[in-house]
Amino acid sequence: MIAIYKKELKSYFTSMMGYVFVAFVLVVVGIYFAAYNLNAYPLIGYTLYNVTFLFLILVPILTMRSIAEEQRNKTDQLLYTSPVSLISIVLGKFLALISVFGIPVLVICFYPQILNQYGSVNMAMSYLAIFGFFLLGCAYIAIGMFISSITESQIIAAVISFVVLMASYQMEGIASFFSDTAWTSLVAFSILFLVVCIIYGMAAKNVVMPAVLFVIAESVTGGIYLMNPVRFEGAFAAVLKKLNLAGVSYNMIQSGILDFTNIVFYFSVIGFFLFLTVQSIKKKRWN
C-alpha cells in the first residue's frame, strides 16, 4: 500500500494537477477569508462553508485519473496481477488523493491564528470547522474515485462526478418538490427500489437476484406502511436531504458544533464508496 501511495502522490506533483489543485483552493479560500473573516466575521467556518462549491469543480478533476487512467493505459493489469491486495491498492490511491487535498487544509489551519491576532477567536470551533471541511472533501473524493473506477475515460469520469456532486449539492432543493404525504413517499421509495434493482441487474447481468431483492424491499416497505403510515410522512424528502453531504456538515463547519453523528456519517460514506470501488475493480479483474 505504501508503494502505491508514494507512486500516486508523486504522479500528482510530477504533473501540474497537484499544484493547480492546491493553488486554486488556497486562492479562492484566501479571497473569501479576506472578504468575510478579516472584514466582518471572525469564524473561519463561515468562509469554509461558503467555499464548499469548490468541491463540485475540483474533486472531479482531481479524481478523474485515479483509476480511469490505469484502465485506459492498460496498466491496471499490472496492478491486478501484483501481490498487493485490491484493498491496499484502493487505500493507497485514496490516501494519495486526500494527501493532496490535505496540503491546502494544513495551510488553512494557520488562518485562525491570523484572526486571533486581531481579536478573540474560539480555536476549538475553528479547528472543528476545518476538520468538518476536511471530512466533507474526503467523502467527495471517495465518490469521485468510485466513479473513476467504472469508466476508462477520464472526461466521462469527470463529467459524471460533477453531475453526481452537483445533484448532491442541490438535493435539498430537489427534496422540496416532493409532497410530505405518506402515499407520495411510498410511491417514491418503490420507484427508487425499482431503479436501483434495474441498475444492479444490468451491472451483474442477472435478473433473478435483483427481482428477489425488489420483492423483499417492496414487501418490507409495504408492511411498514400498512402498520404505521404516519412514519412515511415526509420520509422520502428527509432521505433526499441526507444525500446533501454539504448540508449535513452545516452544524460542524459553519457553526463549529461537535456532532458525532455527522462524523460517523462521513466515515460511513467514505467506507461505502471505497468498498464499491474495490468491488468495481474486482469485477473487472475477474472479467
Side-chain angles (χ1 to χ4, degrees):
M1 183 179 74
I2 296 177
I4 299 293
Y5 167 76
K6 290 181 178 179
K7 168 185 171 294
E8 289 295 314
L9 186 60
K10 183 179 179 181
S11 69
Y12 285 110
F13 290 102
T14 51
S15 65
M16 293 298 296
M17 182 73 71
Y19 297 104
V20 171
F21 177 86
V22 172
F24 199 84
V25 172
L26 291 178
V27 167
V28 175
V29 174
I31 291 173
Y32 274 76
F33 175 74
Y36 290 145
N37 296 136
L38 296 182
N39 288 331
Y41 305 99
L43 297 176
I44 186 66
Y46 187 84
T47 291
L48 294 180
Y49 190 78
N50 280 278
V51 300
T52 52
F53 70 89
L54 276 175
F55 293 129
L56 306 182
I57 304 170
L58 296 183
V59 168
I61 296 174
L62 182 66
T63 60
M64 66 180 183
R65 60 175 293 275
S66 58
I67 298 177
E69 186 180 42
E70 301 276 6
Q71 299 179 39
R72 182 176 63 85
N73 295 334
K74 305 303 180 185
T75 54
D76 57 329
Q77 300 301 323
L78 297 175
L79 291 176
Y80 299 159
T81 56
S82 67
V84 182
S85 67
L86 291 180
I87 296 177
S88 296
I89 292 172
V90 171
L91 286 179
K93 288 177 173 290
F94 178 69
L95 290 176
L97 286 166
I98 64 175
S99 294
V100 176
F101 172 55
I103 293 174
V105 173
L106 285 176
V107 176
I108 293 171
C109 287
F110 290 100
Y111 289 3
Q113 301 295 335
I114 296 174
L115 290 176
N116 200 41
Q117 301 300 314
Y118 298 94
S120 178
V121 175
N122 189 319
M123 291 298 177
M125 290 179 60
S126 297
Y127 286 108
L128 183 61
I130 294 173
F131 178 62
F133 181 75
F134 179 72
L135 283 182
L136 177 61
C138 290
Y140 279 146
I141 287 172
I143 295 172
M145 190 172 172
F146 164 66
I147 294 173
S148 179
S149 72
I150 63 177
T151 178
E152 296 182 0
S153 172
Q154 296 182 41
I155 302 300
I156 293 176
V159 171
I160 295 177
S161 296
F162 173 78
V163 171
V164 171
L165 297 186
M166 177 60 77
S168 172
Y169 197 76
Q170 299 293 334
M171 197 56 71
E172 288 197 17
I174 296 173
S176 64
F177 288 102
F178 290 88
S179 171
D180 289 337
T181 62
W183 174 249
T184 300
S185 295
L186 177 64
V187 173
F189 278 123
S190 298
I191 295 174
L192 178 62
F193 293 149
L194 179 61
V195 171
V196 170
C197 289
I198 290 175
I199 294 174
Y200 172 63
M202 293 174 63
K205 297 181 180 180
N206 188 320
V207 178
V208 178
M209 183 57 68
V212 171
L213 291 176
F214 178 72
V215 171
I216 293 174
E218 284 297 293
S219 300
V220 172
T221 306
I224 296 174
Y225 178 80
L226 292 175
M227 289 187 293
N228 190 358
V230 178
R231 290 186 177 181
F232 280 80
E233 292 181 359
F236 189 73
V239 170
L240 290 182
K241 290 179 181 179
K242 285 294 183 182
L243 297 179
N244 181 358
L245 300 186
V248 172
S249 69
Y250 177 85
N251 285 336
M252 186 182 297
I253 297 179
Q254 178 147 327
S255 304
I257 299 174
L258 179 61
D259 190 338
F260 287 105
T261 58
N262 288 349
I263 296 175
V264 172
F265 173 78
Y266 282 122
F267 276 108
S268 300
V269 171
I270 293 168
F272 176 69
F273 280 98
L274 291 182
F275 169 77
L276 290 183
T277 303
V278 172
Q279 297 307 308
S280 175
I281 296 176
K282 186 179 294 186
K283 183 177 182 296
K284 289 183 172 65
R285 180 182 190 179
W286 289 112
N287 287 341

